[in-house]
Amino acid sequence: MRIAVIGCTHAGTAAVNQIIATHPETQVDVFERRHDITFLSCGIALYLEGTVKRLEDMFYSDVETLSKLGPNVHMHMGHDVVAVDAKAHQLTAQNLDTGEQFTQPYDKLVMTTGSYPTVPPLQGISVPGVLMCKNYDDARAIKASAATAKTIAIIGGGYIGVELAEAYSRTGHDVIFINGVHGVLAHYVDRDIAALIVKELEAHGVTNFLDETALKFDSDGKQVYIQTDKGERHADLAVVATGFLPMTDLLVGQVKMMKNGAIHVNDYMQTSDPDIYAAGDTVAVHFNPTGQDQYAPLATNAVRQGQLAGINLFGNKVKYMGTQSTSAMRIYDKVMACSGMTAKRAKEAGFNVGAVTFTDNYRGEFMPSTTTVTMRLVWDQDNRQILGGQLFSAYDITQSANLLSVMIQNKNTIDDLAYVDMLFNPHYDKPWNYLNLLGQVAQHHADELGK
């Protein structure tokens, strides 16, 4: 079999490794525009703040490693696939160094082209001093520009925006944070948890202009002037981080897609064309809380889907379990972790929503020290099934988010959470784990709503 893999970041690399591990006789042709692979863009903020000293350390694999998997792996680096003819089972690629174009047949295709940064429709988005944040080149450009900047403006309140605001507040810069289209981390947390994150940013010197929308950029070559719907802000450098869209133009009209271009796949990562599989930021995930497809570009989704595509190319064997979009981030000395839906998103999806926010110490007050955990639980009031959870604490609550993820995956209820067996040791928790207590508070609230 001859397999073409278009794009080689997280999903593409996982697919190639899986294909060769189980079917080394397969000819695999990898086409990648860049000359590097597997850059962890989630580590950009760590590099910019100095925690990671070498940006090159954010690559967890390389072209040589994949090439050494076997003689049947052909890495076409610096090659852009300009067309795919699904009916003819062939693609057209261009060598970006020489300009040469050629066509190549395939038996099956793996589409792992990833995503690109959303460029907001703002005037002056390309003026000097305004940068995007996505890949290795972006990170180097931001680092170089920030070296001579005193004031840095971050536009966009998602994960990358918050992480960049934190990173530059740690490096002696004056940081202004502008976010107005949606609330801070609105895709992941409700406003009460978001307020705790904003408070942490403010406590570390970040100037927040929230509920304020950037409209236009100007530059005099020394400073960037950001016109918003509330006034004008100025900085030495502006970094725009306003989300991502799938890079799927090659297959438009040839496979089924969402309105935003994300490719629909079945439980085996197979598109509507049986000989084309897709994974990573190019595809719509199966979002378990709603049972519907949605777009959730996360590295965790990409590596799972890529490996599954590599397995199922040879016969559909292992099903994709879907996702709860479980994630976490550090906020100075605090941790935010979440899984599933916010109350706002659940209401928009048509659920009869119940939600509570609860704070308690993670372990007994008799211990030499303890700290609070603030938690929010979201459920369907009609069947008491858990839809989402959010946690915020100086205590490491990341594994608690993983537990909530499993419970959402398994369609557990708030009653299950209230009484599920969890360990007790005074070093780690109370006789009732804080998640048990959260479930019990949710039970009380749900019972009151049901009266």
Side-chain angles (χ1 to χ4, degrees), residues 38-40 52-61 136:
T38 69
F39 178 66
L40 287 166
V52 173
K53 303 302 180 184
R54 288 176 7 102
L55 188 59
E56 290 72 21
D57 292 338
M58 302 312 299
F59 294 97
Y60 61 86
S61 188
Y136 174 81

Side-chain angles (χ1 to χ4, degrees), residues 221-395:
K222 295 181 179 180
Q223 283 201 317
V224 177
Y225 299 90
I226 308 154
Q227 188 68 45
T228 77
D229 58 351
K230 301 288 178 65
E232 185 177 82
R233 315 298 172 196
H234 57 90
D236 302 309
L237 171 67
V239 182
V240 180
T242 51
F244 303 99
L245 287 172
M247 197 180 302
T248 56
D249 291 351
L250 289 171
L251 294 182
V252 169
Q254 301 188 85
V255 299
K256 292 182 179 179
M257 297 181 179
M258 294 179 66
K259 289 182 179 179
N260 72 344
I263 298 170
H264 287 292
V265 292
N266 63 15
D267 290 340
Y268 301 96
M269 309 314 301
Q270 189 176 35
T271 71
S272 55
D273 182 317
D275 290 330
I276 299 178
Y277 287 69
D281 288 5
T282 59
V283 308
V285 300
H286 304 334
F287 190 55
N288 290 320
T290 62
Q292 304 295 319
D293 280 2
Q294 74 168 42
Y295 190 55
L298 294 171
T300 49
N301 292 330
V303 294
R304 287 161 176 75
Q305 294 169 342
Q307 185 159 322
L308 288 170
I311 293 171
N312 293 320
L313 281 163
F314 302 92
N316 292 338
K317 298 176 181 178
V318 181
K319 285 188 175 183
Y320 173 46
M321 296 175 69
T323 180
Q324 291 69 251
S325 293
T326 308
S327 60
M329 70 183 307
R330 180 204 66 182
I331 309 289
Y332 303 101
D333 62 344
K334 305 291 198 308
V335 181
M336 184 281 290
C338 61
S339 186
M341 307 179 77
T342 63
K344 182 176 184 294
R345 290 178 61 212
K347 288 175 183 176
E348 292 171 350
F351 287 100
N352 179 13
V353 175
V356 293
T357 301
F358 173 64
T359 299
D360 193 35
N361 288 322
Y362 82 94
R363 66 180 184 180
E365 292 72 19
F366 59 84
M367 293 296 288
S369 66
T370 188
T371 192
T372 58
V373 178
T374 298
M375 301 160 279
R376 184 163 175 80
L377 194 67
V378 181
W379 67 91
D380 181 351
Q381 182 66 14
D382 292 340
N383 59 16
R384 300 166 79 96
Q385 187 173 311
I386 299 170
L387 298 175
Q390 306 151 40
L391 305 102
F392 185 80
S393 180
Y395 181 62

Side-chain angles (χ1 to χ4, degrees), residues 195-212:
L196 298 176
I197 295 167
V198 170
K199 185 177 179 181
E200 286 295 313
L201 291 171
E202 291 174 344
H204 290 82
V206 175
T207 301
N208 294 306
F209 295 105
L210 307 180
D211 300 319
E212 188 162 332

Side-chain angles (χ1 to χ4, degrees), residues 1 48 92 95 200 221 231 267 285 328 383 392 425 429:
M1 186 184 292
L48 296 178
T92 302
N95 184 322
E200 286 295 313
D267 290 340
V285 300
N383 59 16
F392 185 80
N425 183 294
D429 62 356

Side-chain angles (χ1 to χ4, degrees), residues 53-319:
K53 303 302 180 184
R54 288 176 7 102
L55 188 59
E56 290 72 21
D57 292 338
M58 302 312 299
F59 294 97
Y60 61 86
S61 188
D62 53 42
V63 177
E64 184 180 9
T65 299
L66 290 193
S67 298
K68 287 181 177 179
L69 291 176
N72 294 324
V73 178
H74 305 285
M75 302 294 293
H76 303 276
M77 306 305 293
H79 282 66
D80 184 23
V81 175
V82 297
V84 171
D85 186 336
K87 289 184 178 178
H89 283 67
Q90 72 176 24
L91 57 82
T92 302
Q94 181 178 33
N95 184 322
L96 295 178
D97 295 326
T98 66
E100 176 194 4
Q101 286 194 5
F102 59 93
T103 59
Q104 181 166 302
Y106 66 82
D107 295 311
K108 295 201 175 180
L109 177 72
V110 182
M111 186 75 167
T112 49
T113 43
S115 59
Y116 61 91
T118 303
V119 180
L122 302 176
Q123 286 182 271
I125 191 71
S126 59
V127 301
V130 178
L131 299 174
M132 308 296 287
C133 184
K134 164 69 172 176
N135 60 28
Y136 174 81
D137 299 327
D138 296 335
R140 287 177 61 88
I142 294 169
K143 181 81 167 182
S145 299
T148 57
K150 177 172 175 54
T151 303
I152 298 177
I154 308 298
I155 294 89
Y159 264 13
I160 292 177
V162 173
E163 288 173 339
L164 290 177
E166 178 192 355
Y168 278 122
S169 72
R170 289 175 176 269
T171 55
H173 291 84
D174 297 329
V175 180
I176 62 175
F177 185 38
I178 300 172
N179 181 65
V181 177
H182 304 289
V184 173
L185 296 174
H187 194 73
Y188 304 96
V189 298
D190 286 309
R191 284 189 174 270
D192 48 357
I193 302 297
L196 298 176
I197 295 167
V198 170
K199 185 177 179 181
E200 286 295 313
L201 291 171
E202 291 174 344
H204 290 82
V206 175
T207 301
N208 294 306
F209 295 105
L210 307 180
D211 300 319
E212 188 162 332
T213 304
L215 302 174
K216 179 183 178 182
F217 295 102
D218 285 311
S219 172
D220 60 8
K222 295 181 179 180
Q223 283 201 317
V224 177
Y225 299 90
I226 308 154
Q227 188 68 45
T228 77
D229 58 351
K230 301 288 178 65
E232 185 177 82
R233 315 298 172 196
H234 57 90
D236 302 309
L237 171 67
V239 182
V240 180
T242 51
F244 303 99
L245 287 172
M247 197 180 302
T248 56
D249 291 351
L250 289 171
L251 294 182
V252 169
Q254 301 188 85
V255 299
K256 292 182 179 179
M257 297 181 179
M258 294 179 66
K259 289 182 179 179
N260 72 344
I263 298 170
H264 287 292
V265 292
N266 63 15
D267 290 340
Y268 301 96
M269 309 314 301
Q270 189 176 35
T271 71
S272 55
D273 182 317
D275 290 330
I276 299 178
Y277 287 69
D281 288 5
T282 59
V283 308
V285 300
H286 304 334
F287 190 55
N288 290 320
T290 62
Q292 304 295 319
D293 280 2
Q294 74 168 42
Y295 190 55
L298 294 171
T300 49
N301 292 330
V303 294
R304 287 161 176 75
Q305 294 169 342
Q307 185 159 322
L308 288 170
I311 293 171
N312 293 320
L313 281 163
F314 302 92
N316 292 338
K317 298 176 181 178
V318 181
K319 285 188 175 183

